[in-house]
C-alpha cells in the first residue's frame, strides 16, 4: 500500500533526488563542442543495448568488407548528462544515444533513433536488408515491434526490477508480465527459423539481440534471467547464442568508445 495521493496538477520538485538527471523539459542545458574524427561516419553513443545495435551493424559492415563503413565512435556519458550538451542536441534533439552524423554528403546528414541508424546504414551500404518487398516488410514489422516493445523491458522491467530505489510489487509484476509475453513471442517466432527473418541475418536481428538476446543470456539487469525463467525460452536462447557467436557482434561488445573531452 502507498500513502501517495495524486495531486490535481503535477509540479516538478527540483529538490527531489533523481539519479538519472531527468527533467520535464527538452533542449540543451549547456554549451558543448563534440569532437569530429577523420571518418565520414561519426557516432556518438554508449555501450548500452541501443548503442550496441549500431556498433554491431558497423562491425558487420566492416566484416563484409565495406571500406567506407569505417567510423569514429565517441562515448556520450549519459550518467554525466553529455546528451544534454548543445552539439549533441543538434544531432539528436531527443537527447538520447545513439546518434550519428554522415559527413560523406555535401550537406551532412544527422541520424537519430537506433533503428533508424540501422536502416540508414543498411540502405547506404545495401547490406543486411532484404531485397523483396515481402521480405523487407517482414523485417520492418520486427524493427517497428522492437522500437515499441523495448521500452517495456528497459524503461519498465529493468527500471523497476534493477534501478528503482525501492522495489515495488505492482510495477514489477506489470512489467514482468509484459516482458515474459514478449520473450514468449520471440521464442515462438524463432521455433522454426535461424534468424528473425528466416534464413537471412538482417538488421532486425541486430536490433533485437542487444535487448532480448542479452536478457536471456543473463547479461542484463543482474539476475533477471533467473527471475524471468529465461532458460524456458529455448529457441530464443539458441538464436541469442547463434548471433552472439558472430565475430562482428563479439567485437562490437568490446569496441572502444573515445572520450569527448
Ligand atoms: N528509441 C531510442 C531510445 C534511446 C535511449 O533510450 N537511449 C538511452 C540509453 S539506452 C539514453 O540515451 N538515455 C539517456 C536519457 O534518458 O537521458 C533509440 O532506439 O535510439
Amino acid at each position: 500500500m502507498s500513502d501517495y495521493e495524486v495531486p490535481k496538477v503535477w509540479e516538478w520538485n527540483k529538490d527531489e533526488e533523481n539519479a538519472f538527471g531527468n527533467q520535464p523539459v527538452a533542449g540543451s542545458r549547456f554549451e558543448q563542442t563534440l569532437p569530429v574524427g577523420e571518418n565520414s561516419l561519426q557516432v556518438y553513443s554508449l555501450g548500452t543495448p541501443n548503442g550496441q545495435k549500431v556498433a554491431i551493424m558497423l562491425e558487420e559492415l566492416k566484416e563484409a568488407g565495406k571500406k567506407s563503413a569505417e567510423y569514429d565512435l565517441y562515448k556520450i556519458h549519459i550518467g554525466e548528462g553529455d546528451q544534454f550538451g548543445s552539439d549533441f542536441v543538434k544531432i539528436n534533439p531527443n537527447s538520447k544515444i545513439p546518434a550519428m552524423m554522415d559527413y560523406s554528403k555535401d550537406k551532412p546528414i544527422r541520424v537519430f533513433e537506433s533503428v533508424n541508424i540501422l536502416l540508414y546504414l543498411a540502405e547506404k551500404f545495401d547490406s543486411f536488408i532484404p531485397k523483396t518487398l515481402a521480405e523487407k516488410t517482414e523485417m520492418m514489422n520486427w524493427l517497428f515491434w522492437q522500437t515499441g516493445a523495448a521500452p517495456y523491458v528497459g524503461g519498465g522491467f529493468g527500471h523497476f526490477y534493477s534501478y528503482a530505489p525501492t522495489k515495488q510489487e505492482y510495477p514489477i509484476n506489470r512489467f514482468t508480465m509484459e516482458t515474459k509475453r514478449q520473450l514468449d513471442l520471440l521464442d515462438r517466432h524463432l521455433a522454426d527459423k535461424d534468424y528473425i527473418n528466416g534464413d537471412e541475418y538482417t538488421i532486425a536481428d541486430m536490433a533485437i539481440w542487444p535487448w532480448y538476446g542479452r536478457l536471456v543470456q543473463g547479461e542484463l539487469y543482474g539476475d533477471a534471467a533467473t527471475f524471468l525463467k529465461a532458460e524456458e525460452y529455448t529457441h530464443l536462447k539458441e538464436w541469442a547464442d547463434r548471433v552472439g557467436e558472430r565475430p562482428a557482434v563479439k567485437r562490437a561488445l568490446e569496441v572502444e568508445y573515445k572520450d569527448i573531452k
Side-chain angles (χ1 to χ4, degrees), residues 133-151:
L133 179 64
E135 286 297 314
K136 183 175 171 190
T137 302
E138 175 62 5
M139 186 196 75
M140 298 295 274
N141 289 338
W142 290 101
L143 283 182
F144 275 88
W145 171 80
Q146 189 282 325
T147 300

Side-chain angles (χ1 to χ4, degrees), residues 20-22 29 46-51 53-54 76 78-79 81 83-84 88 92 94-99 112-117 146-147 150-151 211:
F20 298 93
N22 296 136
R29 298 183 191 170
L46 190 66
T48 64
N50 289 319
K53 295 174 193 171
V54 176
I76 296 298
I78 58 177
Q83 70 275 32
F84 303 111
F88 188 85
N92 183 0
N94 190 38
S95 288
K96 307 264 180 200
I97 66 94
F112 62 87
E113 282 294 319
S114 57
V115 164
N116 194 34
I117 297 175
Q146 189 282 325
T147 300
W211 285 105

Side-chain angles (χ1 to χ4, degrees), residues 88-209:
F88 188 85
V89 170
K90 276 186 212 145
I91 305 172
N92 183 0
N94 190 38
S95 288
K96 307 264 180 200
I97 66 94
M100 187 180 80
M101 288 298 297
D102 183 353
Y103 289 99
S104 69
K105 311 283 171 193
D106 289 342
K107 190 168 182 289
I109 296 176
R110 76 175 187 186
V111 200
F112 62 87
E113 282 294 319
S114 57
V115 164
N116 194 34
I117 297 175
L118 295 183
L119 259 180
Y120 179 87
L121 291 170
E123 285 180 345
K124 180 180 166 88
F125 292 98
D126 194 18
S127 299
F128 306 109
I129 186 167
K131 302 276 183 271
T132 69
L133 179 64
E135 286 297 314
K136 183 175 171 190
T137 302
E138 175 62 5
M139 186 196 75
M140 298 295 274
N141 289 338
W142 290 101
L143 283 182
F144 275 88
W145 171 80
Q146 189 282 325
T147 300
Y152 283 92
V153 176
F157 171 76
H159 181 86
F160 287 104
Y161 175 79
S162 187
Y163 301 142
T166 56
K167 303 302 171 211
Q168 296 166 60
E169 190 175 353
Y170 180 83
I172 289 178
N173 277 348
R174 180 176 160 78
F175 288 112
T176 298
M177 189 84 75
E178 177 61 9
T179 299
K180 282 182 72 77
R181 197 191 62 78
Q182 293 182 10
L183 294 175
D184 189 43
L185 165 72
L186 286 171
D187 193 56
R188 288 165 189 254
H189 178 69
L190 288 161
D192 59 354
K193 33 185 106 51
D194 282 352
Y195 298 107
I196 295 291
N197 243 59
D199 294 335
E200 190 181 356
Y201 173 68
T202 69
I203 52 173
D205 297 285
M206 301 182 209
I208 293 170
W209 186 82

